[in-house]
């Protein structure tokens, strides 16, 4: 963190004194809006917190933006010198004519998890409503190790499932092929057996007919001889 980027605020009452959250209605009134929550991975590198504002009845001069951070330690006044460079821990960009400002936290780590508050001030106005802060953005920086472990576990289970499905498919294919071959063999064997039986029945019938003709032939000859003698 560069020199002058962070100024420790000894008490939150000091910040509230500079930028009171509420006040009576006066001619100059400022309203500040910022996202309530941001969650990023530490591998992201940098995160930008957007802040927009509106005002009514305030001087025509441009306002000034301020940023505060409330973390585990003491409250901090960020970027007292402006933080316009890209090399520092924080970078502030202002588009005051568009009523937008932003704070970029560079090289984020888990230690950057905190509440970031955007403030807008019209320095030339003495009205209490010329100083306002947003409700704060909770920034959470998470490690990706847990997500990586979960992803690895899911991929491992998926690979096991695919392998098991392939093994079952191969086994079923082989069983089906064996059943098909067995069915074809049985069918051919039955056909062969049926043809053999038919052939045996035809042969038996021919044999029976020939045997009957052989037995009837002597009787017929004797009968003819007897008739001739009469």
């Amino acid at each position: 963190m560069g020199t002058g980027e962070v100024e420790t605020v000894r008490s939150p009452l000091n910040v509230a004194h500079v930028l009171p959250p509420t006040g009576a209605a006066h001619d100059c009134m400022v309203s500040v809006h910022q996202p309530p929550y941001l969650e990023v991975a530490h591998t992201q590198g940098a995160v930008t917190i957007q802040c927009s504002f509106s005002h009514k009845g305030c001087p025509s001069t441009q306002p000034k933006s301020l940023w505060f951070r409330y973390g585990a330690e003491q409250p901090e006044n960020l970027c007292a010198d402006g933080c316009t460079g890209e090399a520092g821990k924080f970078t502030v960009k202002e588009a005051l004519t568009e009523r937008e400002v932003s704070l970029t936290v560079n090289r984020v780590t888990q230690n950057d998890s905190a509440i970031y508050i955007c403030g807008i001030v019209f320095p030339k106005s003495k009205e209490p409503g010329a100083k306002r802060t947003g409700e704060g953005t909770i920034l959470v920086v998470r490690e990706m190790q847990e997500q990586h472990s979960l992803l690895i576990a899911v991929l491992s289970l998926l690979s096991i499932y695919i392998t098991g499905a392939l093994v079952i498919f191969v086994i079923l294919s082989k069983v089906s092929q064996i059943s098909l071959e067995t069915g074809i063999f049985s069918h051919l064997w039955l056909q062969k057996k049926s043809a053999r039986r038919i052939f045996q029945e035809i042969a038996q019938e021919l044999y029976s007919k020939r045997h009957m003709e052989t037995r009837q032939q002597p009787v017929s000859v004797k009968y003819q001889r007897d008739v001739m003698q009469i």
Side-chain angles (χ1 to χ4, degrees):
M1 188 176 300
T3 304
E5 290 184 354
V6 177
E7 177 183 347
T8 301
V9 180
R10 295 183 179 180
S11 172
L13 296 178
N14 295 338
V15 179
H17 179 72
V18 175
L19 300 175
T22 59
H26 290 80
D27 292 338
C28 179
M29 293 296 298
V30 178
S31 179
V32 181
H33 305 279
Q34 58 184 117
Y37 183 82
L38 284 177
E39 182 175 349
V40 297
H42 75 285
T43 56
Q44 183 168 327
V47 59
T48 299
I49 302 173
Q50 300 291 340
C51 175
S52 60
F53 65 93
S54 61
H55 58 84
K56 180 180 179 182
C58 297
S60 58
T61 57
Q62 295 292 350
K64 181 180 179 181
S65 65
L66 301 174
W67 287 91
F68 306 94
R69 177 168 72 173
Y70 289 83
E73 300 178 355
Q74 294 180 347
E76 299 170 306
N77 181 7
L78 306 178
C79 299
D81 61 349
C83 295
T84 56
E86 300 288 342
K89 178 65 177 179
F90 303 98
T91 302
V92 173
K93 293 184 178 181
E94 297 180 339
L96 299 177
T97 56
E98 299 176 2
R99 300 182 181 182
E100 292 182 354
V101 295
S102 65
L103 172 70
T104 300
V105 184
N106 301 308
R107 300 177 298 279
V108 292
T109 65
Q110 285 187 304
N111 294 330
D112 294 319
S113 297
I115 300 175
Y116 292 81
I117 298 177
C118 171
I120 300 295
V121 179
F122 281 85
K124 293 187 178 181
S125 177
K126 303 299 181 181
E127 302 290 341
K131 305 173 184 179
R132 283 291 182 270
T133 60
E135 296 183 357
T137 299
I138 301 175
L139 175 63
V140 178
V141 182
R142 296 192 181 277
E143 293 284 348
M144 297 298 293
Q145 184 175 1
E146 296 180 357
Q147 298 183 10
H148 286 164
S149 300
L150 179 61
L151 180 60
I152 291 173
V154 171
L155 292 177
S156 299
L157 291 175
L158 183 61
S159 63
I160 293 173
Y161 172 78
I162 293 174
T163 303
L166 289 176
V167 171
I168 293 173
F169 176 77
V170 171
I171 293 174
L172 291 177
S173 298
K174 290 185 177 180
V175 170
S176 300
Q177 185 176 1
I178 293 173
S179 300
L180 180 61
E181 291 177 354
T182 303
I184 293 173
F185 177 78
S186 300
H187 181 69
L188 293 175
W189 183 78
L190 290 175
Q191 286 184 344
K192 185 176 180 180
K193 184 177 180 181
S194 178
R196 182 180 298 174
R197 180 178 299 174
I198 293 172
F199 177 77
Q200 289 178 351
E201 291 177 355
I202 295 173
Q204 184 67 29
E205 185 178 355
L206 293 175
Y207 175 79
S208 299
K209 288 182 178 180
R210 182 173 297 180
H211 182 69
M212 290 296 296
E213 291 177 355
T214 304
R215 291 182 59 184
Q216 291 176 0
Q217 185 174 2
V219 176
S220 299
V221 172
K222 183 179 180 181
Y223 177 76
Q224 291 178 0
R225 289 177 181 176
D226 292 340
V227 172
M228 293 296 294
Q229 289 175 2
I230 293 173

